[in-house]
Amino acid sequence: MKHGNGSYVITSKLKTQAEQECLFVEQCLNQLQPGEIVCILVSNGILSSSNQAHFRRWLLEDMALLIASIQLPTENFQVECGLVIITSFLILQRKGGDLPVPEDYSIFMAVADKIGFDSRGHRLFRPIINGQQTQEIDSDLPLILEEFKKFIKEVWQNNVDK
């Protein structure tokens, strides 16, 4: 039950429905040992809907550290599935055991605007250079991956070593 101040209180009232996505994330985390990491693709509704606030609170306070959130463009599922949905990769580390839990820590966040194809499935190439079309796929993901690797090495290790 939610109070006016935004806090939640555990009651004996059971929820009659749960988002399948929330149950999936919970089961993934239940399969992990403390300290193990999982990468899960979720719709952004789970991240932004006011109806899922209780789930996000449980996830981040009780179950996992959020290492990264990487948002993908709508084209990701538009061509093959016909879905216009915004999704994100969540990279989570299971809490528990002797794993130290920092009070305050950095989280890697990124948004991929381009993933190598448009909404009709046509490949996107990097812009023309000196009148020549390049054969390099136009995607933000390689740069995001490099930045994520740097974050893990330079920032995240300091988070968990505190």
Side-chain angles (χ1 to χ4, degrees), residues 128-144:
I128 296 173
I129 301 172
N130 297 331
Q132 296 270 337
Q133 175 70 46
T134 64
Q135 291 303 306
E136 186 178 351
I137 300 295
D138 196 7
S139 173
D140 296 330
L141 296 179
L143 177 60
I144 290 172

Side-chain angles (χ1 to χ4, degrees), residues 104-124:
D104 188 25
Y105 63 93
S106 299
I107 299 169
F108 180 83
M109 301 191 91
V111 175
D113 292 319
K114 300 173 280 187
I115 55 171
F117 55 89
D118 64 16
S119 61
R120 294 179 305 268
H122 299 121
R123 288 205 177 258
L124 296 177

Side-chain angles (χ1 to χ4, degrees), residues 5-6 10 14 19-20 30 47 81 83 86 104 118 139 152 159:
N5 64 3
I10 296 174
L14 296 176
E19 293 284 328
Q20 290 179 357
N30 285 336
L47 303 176
C81 302
L83 297 173
I86 300 174
D104 188 25
D118 64 16
S139 173
I152 291 297
N159 284 339

Side-chain angles (χ1 to χ4, degrees), residues 8-162:
Y8 291 88
V9 173
I10 296 174
T11 68
S12 60
K13 183 178 177 186
L14 296 176
K15 282 190 70 164
T16 57
Q17 289 183 320
E19 293 284 328
Q20 290 179 357
E21 211 165 20
C22 295
L23 296 173
F24 175 74
V25 171
E26 180 181 2
Q27 286 303 310
C28 288
L29 288 169
N30 285 336
Q31 300 302 311
L32 299 178
Q33 297 297 316
E36 290 183 333
I37 295 172
V38 66
C39 180
I40 304 172
L41 182 68
V42 297
S43 72
N44 275 18
I46 203 171
L47 303 176
S48 60
S49 169
S50 60
N51 293 336
Q52 301 304 327
H54 65 283
F55 174 77
R56 289 189 299 274
R57 185 178 185 119
W58 166 83
L59 177 67
L60 298 176
E61 288 184 1
D62 299 338
M63 291 300 290
L65 298 174
L66 177 60
I67 298 172
S69 175
I70 303 167
Q71 183 175 302
L72 300 175
T74 57
E75 290 87 2
N76 199 48
F77 292 104
Q78 192 169 359
V79 176
E80 294 295 325
C81 302
L83 297 173
V84 180
I85 184 170
I86 300 174
T87 56
S88 290
F89 282 115
L90 295 183
I91 302 175
L92 302 164
Q93 183 176 34
R94 174 74 191 260
K95 288 182 180 179
D98 295 333
L99 181 70
V101 179
E103 286 186 34
D104 188 25
Y105 63 93
S106 299
I107 299 169
F108 180 83
M109 301 191 91
V111 175
D113 292 319
K114 300 173 280 187
I115 55 171
F117 55 89
D118 64 16
S119 61
R120 294 179 305 268
H122 299 121
R123 288 205 177 258
L124 296 177
F125 295 97
R126 297 243 183 247
I128 296 173
I129 301 172
N130 297 331
Q132 296 270 337
Q133 175 70 46
T134 64
Q135 291 303 306
E136 186 178 351
I137 300 295
D138 196 7
S139 173
D140 296 330
L141 296 179
L143 177 60
I144 290 172
L145 178 60
E146 289 306 311
E147 291 298 317
F148 180 66
K149 287 178 184 178
K150 189 175 359 174
F151 170 82
I152 291 297
K153 185 177 181 181
E154 298 173 6
V155 179
W156 184 255
Q157 290 304 319
N158 292 331
N159 284 339
V160 295
D161 290 340
K162 287 181 184 178

